Short mmCIF file of all heavy atoms in Angstrom, two decimals:
data_model
loop_
_atom_site.label_atom_id
_atom_site.label_comp_id
_atom_site.label_asym_id
_atom_site.label_seq_id
_atom_site.Cartn_x
_atom_site.Cartn_y
_atom_site.Cartn_z
N GLU Y 4 33.42 74.87 15.53
CA GLU Y 4 32.52 75.36 14.48
C GLU Y 4 32.99 74.81 13.14
O GLU Y 4 34.13 75.03 12.73
CB GLU Y 4 32.52 76.88 14.44
CG GLU Y 4 31.61 77.46 13.36
CD GLU Y 4 31.66 78.97 13.30
OE1 GLU Y 4 32.26 79.58 14.21
OE2 GLU Y 4 31.10 79.53 12.33
N ILE Y 5 32.12 74.07 12.47
CA ILE Y 5 32.49 73.39 11.23
C ILE Y 5 31.88 74.10 10.02
O ILE Y 5 30.68 74.37 9.97
CB ILE Y 5 32.04 71.91 11.24
CG1 ILE Y 5 32.75 71.17 12.38
CG2 ILE Y 5 32.34 71.24 9.90
CD1 ILE Y 5 32.34 69.73 12.52
N GLN Y 6 32.73 74.41 9.07
CA GLN Y 6 32.30 74.96 7.80
C GLN Y 6 32.73 74.01 6.68
O GLN Y 6 33.70 73.24 6.83
CB GLN Y 6 32.91 76.35 7.57
CG GLN Y 6 32.53 77.35 8.65
CD GLN Y 6 33.14 78.72 8.39
OE1 GLN Y 6 32.75 79.43 7.47
NE2 GLN Y 6 34.12 79.08 9.22
N THR Y 7 32.03 74.04 5.56
CA THR Y 7 32.26 73.08 4.49
C THR Y 7 32.60 73.78 3.17
O THR Y 7 32.00 74.78 2.79
CB THR Y 7 31.01 72.20 4.27
OG1 THR Y 7 30.69 71.53 5.49
CG2 THR Y 7 31.26 71.17 3.17
N LEU Y 8 33.59 73.23 2.49
CA LEU Y 8 33.89 73.58 1.11
C LEU Y 8 33.75 72.31 0.28
O LEU Y 8 34.21 71.24 0.69
CB LEU Y 8 35.31 74.12 0.97
CG LEU Y 8 35.58 75.55 1.43
CD1 LEU Y 8 37.07 75.84 1.40
CD2 LEU Y 8 34.84 76.55 0.55
N ASP Y 9 33.15 72.41 -0.90
CA ASP Y 9 32.98 71.19 -1.69
C ASP Y 9 33.09 71.40 -3.19
O ASP Y 9 32.93 70.47 -3.97
CB ASP Y 9 31.65 70.51 -1.38
CG ASP Y 9 30.45 71.43 -1.57
OD1 ASP Y 9 30.60 72.48 -2.22
OD2 ASP Y 9 29.37 71.09 -1.06
N TYR Y 10 33.41 72.63 -3.63
CA TYR Y 10 33.51 72.87 -5.07
C TYR Y 10 34.64 73.84 -5.36
O TYR Y 10 34.75 74.89 -4.74
CB TYR Y 10 32.20 73.44 -5.61
CG TYR Y 10 32.22 73.72 -7.10
CD1 TYR Y 10 32.04 72.70 -8.03
CD2 TYR Y 10 32.45 75.02 -7.57
CE1 TYR Y 10 32.07 72.95 -9.38
CE2 TYR Y 10 32.49 75.28 -8.94
CZ TYR Y 10 32.30 74.24 -9.84
OH TYR Y 10 32.35 74.49 -11.19
N PHE Y 11 35.48 73.44 -6.33
CA PHE Y 11 36.63 74.27 -6.71
C PHE Y 11 36.71 74.30 -8.24
O PHE Y 11 36.33 73.36 -8.92
CB PHE Y 11 37.92 73.70 -6.12
CG PHE Y 11 37.87 73.55 -4.62
CD1 PHE Y 11 37.41 72.37 -4.06
CD2 PHE Y 11 38.27 74.58 -3.79
CE1 PHE Y 11 37.35 72.21 -2.68
CE2 PHE Y 11 38.21 74.43 -2.41
CZ PHE Y 11 37.74 73.24 -1.86
N ASN Y 12 37.26 75.40 -8.75
CA ASN Y 12 37.27 75.58 -10.20
C ASN Y 12 38.53 76.33 -10.63
O ASN Y 12 39.01 77.21 -9.93
CB ASN Y 12 36.03 76.39 -10.62
CG ASN Y 12 35.89 76.51 -12.11
OD1 ASN Y 12 35.55 75.57 -12.80
ND2 ASN Y 12 36.16 77.70 -12.62
N THR Y 13 39.06 75.95 -11.80
CA THR Y 13 40.20 76.69 -12.35
C THR Y 13 40.13 76.66 -13.86
O THR Y 13 39.48 75.79 -14.46
CB THR Y 13 41.54 76.11 -11.86
OG1 THR Y 13 42.59 77.05 -12.14
CG2 THR Y 13 41.86 74.79 -12.54
N LYS Y 14 40.83 77.62 -14.48
CA LYS Y 14 40.78 77.76 -15.94
C LYS Y 14 42.12 78.26 -16.46
O LYS Y 14 42.75 79.13 -15.85
CB LYS Y 14 39.67 78.75 -16.33
CG LYS Y 14 39.58 79.09 -17.81
CD LYS Y 14 38.47 80.11 -18.05
CE LYS Y 14 38.38 80.53 -19.50
NZ LYS Y 14 37.30 81.53 -19.73
N ILE Y 15 42.57 77.70 -17.57
CA ILE Y 15 43.75 78.23 -18.25
C ILE Y 15 43.39 78.46 -19.71
O ILE Y 15 42.56 77.75 -20.28
CB ILE Y 15 44.97 77.28 -18.16
CG1 ILE Y 15 44.69 75.94 -18.83
CG2 ILE Y 15 45.41 77.09 -16.72
CD1 ILE Y 15 45.90 75.03 -18.91
N GLU Y 16 44.00 79.47 -20.32
CA GLU Y 16 43.81 79.71 -21.75
C GLU Y 16 44.67 78.73 -22.53
O GLU Y 16 45.84 78.49 -22.18
CB GLU Y 16 44.19 81.14 -22.09
CG GLU Y 16 43.27 82.17 -21.48
CD GLU Y 16 43.61 83.59 -21.92
OE1 GLU Y 16 44.66 83.76 -22.57
OE2 GLU Y 16 42.83 84.50 -21.63
N SER Y 17 44.10 78.13 -23.58
CA SER Y 17 44.82 77.10 -24.31
C SER Y 17 44.22 76.89 -25.70
O SER Y 17 42.99 76.96 -25.87
CB SER Y 17 44.78 75.78 -23.53
OG SER Y 17 45.31 74.72 -24.31
N ASN Y 18 45.08 76.61 -26.67
CA ASN Y 18 44.65 76.25 -28.02
C ASN Y 18 44.77 74.74 -28.24
O ASN Y 18 44.88 74.28 -29.38
CB ASN Y 18 45.50 76.98 -29.06
CG ASN Y 18 45.08 78.43 -29.23
OD1 ASN Y 18 43.90 78.74 -29.13
ND2 ASN Y 18 46.04 79.31 -29.44
N LEU Y 19 44.74 73.97 -27.19
CA LEU Y 19 44.92 72.53 -27.30
C LEU Y 19 43.91 71.89 -28.24
O LEU Y 19 44.25 70.98 -29.01
CB LEU Y 19 44.82 71.89 -25.90
CG LEU Y 19 44.98 70.36 -25.85
CD1 LEU Y 19 46.34 69.94 -26.40
CD2 LEU Y 19 44.83 69.87 -24.42
N LEU Y 20 42.67 72.35 -28.22
CA LEU Y 20 41.64 71.77 -29.08
C LEU Y 20 42.00 71.94 -30.55
O LEU Y 20 41.87 71.01 -31.36
CB LEU Y 20 40.29 72.42 -28.79
CG LEU Y 20 39.09 71.88 -29.58
CD1 LEU Y 20 38.82 70.43 -29.21
CD2 LEU Y 20 37.84 72.72 -29.31
N GLN Y 21 42.50 73.12 -30.93
CA GLN Y 21 42.86 73.37 -32.32
C GLN Y 21 44.13 72.62 -32.71
O GLN Y 21 44.25 72.12 -33.84
CB GLN Y 21 43.02 74.87 -32.53
CG GLN Y 21 41.71 75.64 -32.29
CD GLN Y 21 41.89 77.13 -32.43
OE1 GLN Y 21 42.26 77.62 -33.50
NE2 GLN Y 21 41.67 77.88 -31.36
N ILE Y 22 45.08 72.52 -31.79
CA ILE Y 22 46.29 71.74 -32.05
C ILE Y 22 45.93 70.28 -32.27
O ILE Y 22 46.46 69.61 -33.17
CB ILE Y 22 47.29 71.90 -30.88
CG1 ILE Y 22 47.80 73.33 -30.83
CG2 ILE Y 22 48.45 70.93 -31.04
CD1 ILE Y 22 48.64 73.65 -29.61
N HIS Y 23 45.01 69.77 -31.47
CA HIS Y 23 44.54 68.39 -31.62
C HIS Y 23 43.95 68.18 -33.01
O HIS Y 23 44.17 67.15 -33.66
CB HIS Y 23 43.51 68.08 -30.54
CG HIS Y 23 42.96 66.69 -30.59
ND1 HIS Y 23 41.84 66.36 -31.32
CD2 HIS Y 23 43.38 65.53 -30.01
CE1 HIS Y 23 41.58 65.07 -31.19
NE2 HIS Y 23 42.50 64.55 -30.40
N SER Y 24 43.21 69.15 -33.51
CA SER Y 24 42.61 69.06 -34.84
C SER Y 24 43.68 68.98 -35.92
O SER Y 24 43.55 68.22 -36.90
CB SER Y 24 41.69 70.27 -35.08
OG SER Y 24 41.15 70.24 -36.38
N ILE Y 25 44.75 69.76 -35.76
CA ILE Y 25 45.86 69.72 -36.72
C ILE Y 25 46.48 68.34 -36.76
O ILE Y 25 46.74 67.77 -37.83
CB ILE Y 25 46.92 70.78 -36.37
CG1 ILE Y 25 46.36 72.19 -36.59
CG2 ILE Y 25 48.19 70.59 -37.20
CD1 ILE Y 25 47.27 73.29 -36.11
N VAL Y 26 46.74 67.77 -35.59
CA VAL Y 26 47.36 66.45 -35.52
C VAL Y 26 46.46 65.39 -36.15
O VAL Y 26 46.92 64.50 -36.88
CB VAL Y 26 47.68 66.08 -34.06
CG1 VAL Y 26 48.21 64.65 -33.97
CG2 VAL Y 26 48.71 67.04 -33.48
N GLU Y 27 45.15 65.49 -35.91
CA GLU Y 27 44.22 64.54 -36.54
C GLU Y 27 44.29 64.64 -38.06
O GLU Y 27 44.21 63.61 -38.75
CB GLU Y 27 42.79 64.81 -36.06
CG GLU Y 27 42.49 64.32 -34.66
CD GLU Y 27 41.02 64.40 -34.33
OE1 GLU Y 27 40.39 65.44 -34.64
OE2 GLU Y 27 40.49 63.44 -33.76
N ASN Y 28 44.46 65.85 -38.59
CA ASN Y 28 44.57 66.01 -40.03
C ASN Y 28 45.85 65.38 -40.58
O ASN Y 28 45.86 64.83 -41.69
CB ASN Y 28 44.51 67.50 -40.40
CG ASN Y 28 43.11 68.07 -40.32
OD1 ASN Y 28 42.14 67.36 -40.55
ND2 ASN Y 28 43.00 69.35 -40.00
N VAL Y 29 46.94 65.47 -39.81
CA VAL Y 29 48.18 64.83 -40.22
C VAL Y 29 47.99 63.31 -40.32
O VAL Y 29 48.40 62.67 -41.29
CB VAL Y 29 49.32 65.15 -39.23
CG1 VAL Y 29 50.57 64.36 -39.57
CG2 VAL Y 29 49.63 66.64 -39.24
N ILE Y 30 47.34 62.75 -39.32
CA ILE Y 30 47.08 61.31 -39.31
C ILE Y 30 46.19 60.93 -40.49
O ILE Y 30 46.42 59.92 -41.17
CB ILE Y 30 46.41 60.88 -38.00
CG1 ILE Y 30 47.36 61.11 -36.81
CG2 ILE Y 30 45.99 59.42 -38.05
CD1 ILE Y 30 48.58 60.23 -36.82
N LEU Y 31 45.16 61.73 -40.75
CA LEU Y 31 44.24 61.45 -41.86
C LEU Y 31 44.99 61.41 -43.18
O LEU Y 31 44.76 60.52 -44.01
CB LEU Y 31 43.14 62.50 -41.90
CG LEU Y 31 42.13 62.36 -43.05
CD1 LEU Y 31 41.40 61.02 -42.96
CD2 LEU Y 31 41.13 63.51 -43.03
N GLN Y 32 45.90 62.36 -43.38
CA GLN Y 32 46.68 62.36 -44.63
C GLN Y 32 47.51 61.10 -44.74
O GLN Y 32 47.65 60.53 -45.82
CB GLN Y 32 47.57 63.60 -44.68
CG GLN Y 32 46.81 64.90 -44.91
CD GLN Y 32 47.73 66.04 -45.31
OE1 GLN Y 32 48.77 65.81 -45.92
NE2 GLN Y 32 47.35 67.26 -44.98
N SER Y 33 48.06 60.66 -43.62
CA SER Y 33 48.86 59.43 -43.63
C SER Y 33 48.00 58.23 -43.99
O SER Y 33 48.38 57.38 -44.80
CB SER Y 33 49.52 59.22 -42.27
OG SER Y 33 50.20 57.99 -42.23
N GLU Y 34 46.82 58.14 -43.40
CA GLU Y 34 45.94 57.00 -43.65
C GLU Y 34 45.42 56.98 -45.08
O GLU Y 34 45.16 55.92 -45.64
CB GLU Y 34 44.76 57.03 -42.66
CG GLU Y 34 45.17 56.74 -41.23
CD GLU Y 34 43.99 56.78 -40.26
OE1 GLU Y 34 43.08 57.61 -40.45
OE2 GLU Y 34 44.00 55.97 -39.32
N LEU Y 35 45.31 58.18 -45.69
CA LEU Y 35 44.86 58.25 -47.08
C LEU Y 35 45.98 57.98 -48.07
O LEU Y 35 45.76 57.93 -49.27
CB LEU Y 35 44.24 59.63 -47.35
CG LEU Y 35 42.91 59.92 -46.63
CD1 LEU Y 35 42.47 61.36 -46.91
CD2 LEU Y 35 41.83 58.93 -47.06
N GLY Y 36 47.19 57.83 -47.53
CA GLY Y 36 48.31 57.45 -48.39
C GLY Y 36 48.96 58.59 -49.14
O GLY Y 36 49.58 58.37 -50.18
N PHE Y 37 48.82 59.84 -48.61
CA PHE Y 37 49.44 60.96 -49.30
C PHE Y 37 50.96 60.83 -49.20
O PHE Y 37 51.52 60.53 -48.15
CB PHE Y 37 49.01 62.29 -48.67
CG PHE Y 37 47.55 62.61 -48.88
CD1 PHE Y 37 46.96 63.68 -48.23
CD2 PHE Y 37 46.77 61.85 -49.75
CE1 PHE Y 37 45.62 63.99 -48.44
CE2 PHE Y 37 45.44 62.15 -49.96
CZ PHE Y 37 44.85 63.22 -49.29
N ASP Y 38 51.65 61.08 -50.31
CA ASP Y 38 53.11 60.97 -50.32
C ASP Y 38 53.79 62.17 -49.67
O ASP Y 38 54.90 62.09 -49.19
CB ASP Y 38 53.61 60.84 -51.77
CG ASP Y 38 53.20 59.51 -52.38
OD1 ASP Y 38 53.07 58.54 -51.61
OD2 ASP Y 38 53.00 59.45 -53.61
N GLU Y 39 53.12 63.32 -49.67
CA GLU Y 39 53.69 64.52 -49.09
C GLU Y 39 52.70 65.13 -48.11
O GLU Y 39 51.48 65.01 -48.27
CB GLU Y 39 54.03 65.55 -50.17
CG GLU Y 39 55.12 65.07 -51.13
CD GLU Y 39 55.45 66.12 -52.17
OE1 GLU Y 39 54.83 67.20 -52.11
OE2 GLU Y 39 56.33 65.87 -53.01
N LEU Y 40 53.22 65.79 -47.12
CA LEU Y 40 52.39 66.45 -46.12
C LEU Y 40 51.86 67.77 -46.65
O LEU Y 40 52.63 68.62 -47.10
CB LEU Y 40 53.19 66.69 -44.84
CG LEU Y 40 52.47 67.41 -43.69
CD1 LEU Y 40 51.32 66.54 -43.19
CD2 LEU Y 40 53.44 67.71 -42.56
N ASP Y 41 50.56 67.96 -46.65
CA ASP Y 41 49.94 69.20 -47.08
C ASP Y 41 50.07 70.23 -45.96
O ASP Y 41 49.37 70.18 -44.95
CB ASP Y 41 48.46 68.97 -47.41
CG ASP Y 41 47.76 70.24 -47.86
OD1 ASP Y 41 48.45 71.27 -48.01
OD2 ASP Y 41 46.53 70.19 -48.06
N LEU Y 42 50.98 71.19 -46.13
CA LEU Y 42 51.27 72.15 -45.08
C LEU Y 42 50.12 73.13 -44.84
O LEU Y 42 50.14 73.87 -43.86
CB LEU Y 42 52.55 72.93 -45.42
CG LEU Y 42 53.83 72.08 -45.50
CD1 LEU Y 42 55.01 72.97 -45.83
CD2 LEU Y 42 54.07 71.34 -44.20
N SER Y 43 49.11 73.15 -45.71
CA SER Y 43 47.98 74.05 -45.51
C SER Y 43 47.20 73.71 -44.26
O SER Y 43 46.44 74.54 -43.75
CB SER Y 43 47.05 74.01 -46.73
OG SER Y 43 46.41 72.75 -46.84
N ILE Y 44 47.35 72.48 -43.73
CA ILE Y 44 46.62 72.12 -42.51
C ILE Y 44 47.10 72.93 -41.32
O ILE Y 44 46.40 73.04 -40.32
CB ILE Y 44 46.77 70.61 -42.19
CG1 ILE Y 44 48.23 70.28 -41.88
CG2 ILE Y 44 46.23 69.76 -43.31
CD1 ILE Y 44 48.42 68.86 -41.40
N PHE Y 45 48.29 73.53 -41.42
CA PHE Y 45 48.80 74.35 -40.32
C PHE Y 45 48.28 75.78 -40.40
O PHE Y 45 48.47 76.56 -39.48
CB PHE Y 45 50.33 74.37 -40.33
CG PHE Y 45 50.94 73.03 -40.08
CD1 PHE Y 45 51.37 72.24 -41.14
CD2 PHE Y 45 51.07 72.54 -38.80
CE1 PHE Y 45 51.93 71.01 -40.92
CE2 PHE Y 45 51.64 71.30 -38.56
CZ PHE Y 45 52.06 70.53 -39.63
N ASP Y 46 47.64 76.13 -41.51
CA ASP Y 46 47.15 77.49 -41.71
C ASP Y 46 45.71 77.59 -41.23
O ASP Y 46 44.77 77.64 -42.00
CB ASP Y 46 47.24 77.86 -43.18
CG ASP Y 46 46.91 79.34 -43.41
OD1 ASP Y 46 46.96 80.11 -42.43
OD2 ASP Y 46 46.60 79.70 -44.56
N VAL Y 47 45.55 77.61 -39.90
CA VAL Y 47 44.22 77.69 -39.30
C VAL Y 47 43.99 79.12 -38.83
O VAL Y 47 44.79 79.66 -38.08
CB VAL Y 47 44.09 76.73 -38.09
CG1 VAL Y 47 42.71 76.83 -37.48
CG2 VAL Y 47 44.40 75.31 -38.54
N PRO Y 48 42.92 79.78 -39.30
CA PRO Y 48 42.68 81.17 -38.92
C PRO Y 48 42.61 81.35 -37.40
O PRO Y 48 42.05 80.52 -36.69
CB PRO Y 48 41.31 81.47 -39.56
CG PRO Y 48 41.19 80.48 -40.68
CD PRO Y 48 41.90 79.25 -40.20
N ASN Y 49 43.23 82.43 -36.93
CA ASN Y 49 43.14 82.83 -35.52
C ASN Y 49 43.72 81.82 -34.55
O ASN Y 49 43.33 81.75 -33.40
CB ASN Y 49 41.67 83.10 -35.14
CG ASN Y 49 41.05 84.18 -35.99
OD1 ASN Y 49 41.69 85.18 -36.30
ND2 ASN Y 49 39.81 83.97 -36.39
N ILE Y 50 44.68 81.00 -35.01
CA ILE Y 50 45.30 80.05 -34.08
C ILE Y 50 46.76 80.40 -33.89
O ILE Y 50 47.48 80.66 -34.86
CB ILE Y 50 45.17 78.60 -34.56
CG1 ILE Y 50 45.85 77.65 -33.55
CG2 ILE Y 50 45.79 78.38 -35.91
CD1 ILE Y 50 45.67 76.19 -33.86
N GLU Y 51 47.20 80.46 -32.65
CA GLU Y 51 48.60 80.50 -32.32
C GLU Y 51 49.00 79.08 -32.00
O GLU Y 51 48.32 78.41 -31.23
CB GLU Y 51 48.86 81.39 -31.10
CG GLU Y 51 48.39 82.83 -31.28
CD GLU Y 51 48.52 83.60 -29.98
OE1 GLU Y 51 49.38 83.22 -29.15
OE2 GLU Y 51 47.79 84.57 -29.80
#
């Protein structure tokens, strides 16, 4: 007797998207030639 499975799903909680945004802002500051890092980019509401 043959039965079939063909779909599986999993989920983890993560702030990776927001962390990625922070890193992009660091790069942007570098490309704009800022002499100092603006630490306010780390102050993102509701992010751990």
